[in-house]
Amino acid sequence: MLDVLVYVLLGLFLLLVPGFLFTLVLYPRRESLDFWERIGASLGLGVLVLIYLGFVLAQPGVKMLTLVPFVLAVFGTCLILAFIAYWRGGLQVAIIYGRWLMRKISRLRYARALMRKISRLRPPKPKPVPPEEKPVPPKPPTPPEEQPPQTPQPPEEKRESGEGV
């Protein structure tokens, strides 16, 4: 069950993200496309990018059309497209749409409770490090407490009998 969910999410990522980044490269201004036009263009361009990557990886000299090389090629393409989109100023559009999407998600029924739980998961603040203290010189030894003089006790007498040696 979990592997099906992973494949569905991976498929959506592979389909939408390269196309969305490609739309940011082609149309870096927010006014160029509205949200739904950009999503539609993302789906179409995403399919186009995936087809071209599959074609390149399936060449007789390459023969690397398996899951791992394909996913790595898509991630590499996404990095290249993200760099070009950043250079052209298109990533600001992605940030705006990301904030818009977070506001839409926060209006969902259980989203507020989820956001509260997520906000509690912040890492703990680091404990302040106390400043280093100057070394304290060692204290001189304290004199032993004065004890009252002991009275001398007479030495024990030796028994001359053979008992209790």
Side-chain angles (χ1 to χ4, degrees):
M1 177 65 183
L2 185 61
D3 57 341
V4 172
L5 180 66
V6 169
Y7 280 123
V8 168
L9 291 176
L10 183 66
L12 286 174
F13 177 82
L14 293 177
L15 191 61
L16 283 175
V17 173
F20 187 75
L21 290 171
F22 203 13
T23 61
L24 292 177
V25 169
L26 296 176
Y27 306 106
R29 306 271 184 261
R30 185 176 181 195
E31 300 82 27
S32 302
L33 298 172
D34 70 350
F35 179 74
W36 294 111
E37 289 174 341
R38 195 171 293 270
I39 292 297
S42 297
L43 284 171
L45 290 172
V47 170
L48 181 74
V49 169
L50 294 181
I51 288 172
Y52 282 134
L53 284 175
F55 179 72
V56 168
L57 291 175
Q59 291 297 316
V62 179
K63 291 187 182 177
M64 293 182 60
L65 190 56
T66 58
L67 181 65
V68 175
F70 184 74
V71 171
L72 291 176
V74 171
F75 283 139
T77 304
C78 287
L79 286 174
I80 292 169
L81 289 173
F83 178 73
I84 296 170
Y86 174 76
W87 182 60
R88 293 200 63 201
L91 287 185
Q92 296 298 325
V93 176
I95 292 170
I96 291 169
Y97 283 138
R99 289 180 183 160
W100 176 81
L101 188 62
M102 289 305 293
R103 275 183 280 158
K104 292 291 184 182
I105 290 173
S106 68
R107 292 181 187 162
L108 295 175
R109 184 174 181 184
Y110 297 105
R112 289 187 183 150
L114 179 66
M115 291 303 227
R116 274 182 271 164
K117 287 185 180 183
I118 290 174
S119 66
R120 288 184 203 154
L121 295 177
R122 293 183 182 158
K125 294 181 181 177
K127 295 179 182 178
V129 178
E132 293 186 26
E133 299 177 4
K134 295 180 180 176
V136 178
K139 295 180 181 178
T142 57
E145 296 179 12
E146 295 183 16
Q147 298 178 353
Q150 297 179 353
T151 58
Q153 296 180 355
E156 294 182 20
E157 295 178 12
K158 295 182 182 177
R159 295 185 187 171
E160 294 190 17
S161 62
E163 299 175 9
V165 177

